[in-house]
Amino acid sequence: MMLANDLKTYYDEVRRYLDCPKDEQDRLLLSVNKQVIELQVDNPNLDYDGNVEFLGEPESLAASLMERLSPDVIQKFRKRKRHLRMSAIVCIAAIVIVLSTVLIYTTSIQFKSDLTEENTIIIDDGETFPEVEDTLVDTETLIKEIS
């Protein structure tokens, strides 16, 4: 059981270096696992280190597995990966622009609002105010007084 766990960890490491679709990774690693099983049948006492010695380092095994793939498969996968990255970058940029615009707008609204404060004091001492008609002065009378 220990060998199976160690091999799974090894295969996960190989998978990190495989630049191809997941189904292709599965197919390639299945063929590697078949080779390991055949090796185990021929050498039942072979341990994990012996398997790694047979398979090589994860990075070099991944490179040799990638050579088995069609260039079209690799190219389509890389193109799709690049497209997804660009889409993510565009989405993030759009979110940053929208948030910046909202921030600038709300900040400018706060600075545009002119607050004016008016105080009105009303003192009621019980007197009544004269009527407006009583306070109006005849313009002719006013002119005579001035001259």
Side-chain angles (χ1 to χ4, degrees):
M1 186 65 176
M2 184 66 167
L3 180 63
N5 288 337
D6 290 340
L7 283 174
K8 182 182 179 328
T9 303
Y10 178 84
Y11 292 152
D12 289 342
E13 183 72 18
V14 172
R15 192 179 293 275
R16 287 183 44 221
Y17 295 107
L18 292 174
D19 194 22
C20 61
K22 184 163 177 19
D23 59 334
E24 290 295 326
Q25 291 177 6
D26 294 341
R27 187 180 62 77
L28 292 169
L29 289 173
L30 182 62
S31 70
V32 169
N33 196 45
K34 286 179 183 178
Q35 290 175 347
V36 169
I37 291 171
E38 290 173 8
L39 184 65
Q40 286 289 345
V41 168
D42 294 340
N43 302 305
N45 294 330
L46 196 61
D47 62 352
Y48 173 75
D49 292 332
N51 283 309
V52 171
E53 186 178 316
F54 170 74
L55 296 172
E57 291 300 313
E59 190 171 4
S60 63
L61 177 61
S64 68
L65 292 174
M66 288 295 292
E67 291 174 0
R68 295 182 190 177
L69 292 176
S70 160
D72 290 339
V73 170
I74 297 170
Q75 184 179 11
K76 284 180 185 178
F77 178 75
R78 288 179 179 165
K79 187 175 183 180
R80 177 171 162 71
K81 197 161 90 172
R82 196 174 326 119
H83 178 72
L84 289 173
R85 281 186 186 146
M86 286 303 294
S87 298
I89 290 170
V90 167
C91 287
I92 290 170
I95 289 170
V96 167
I97 290 170
V98 167
L99 290 176
S100 298
T101 304
V102 168
L103 180 66
I104 290 169
Y105 176 75
T106 56
T107 304
S108 69
I109 291 298
Q110 289 175 351
F111 288 123
K112 280 185 180 178
S113 63
D114 294 327
L115 295 177
T116 55
E117 185 176 323
E118 293 181 12
N119 294 328
T120 304
I121 301 173
I122 299 175
I123 302 173
D124 185 16
D125 59 359
E127 286 187 26
T128 58
F129 294 102
E131 294 293 323
V132 174
E133 294 172 357
D134 295 342
T135 59
L136 292 178
V137 178
D138 185 18
T139 20
E140 289 179 10
T141 311
L142 187 59
I143 295 173
K144 285 180 190 176
E145 289 178 7
I146 295 177
S147 43

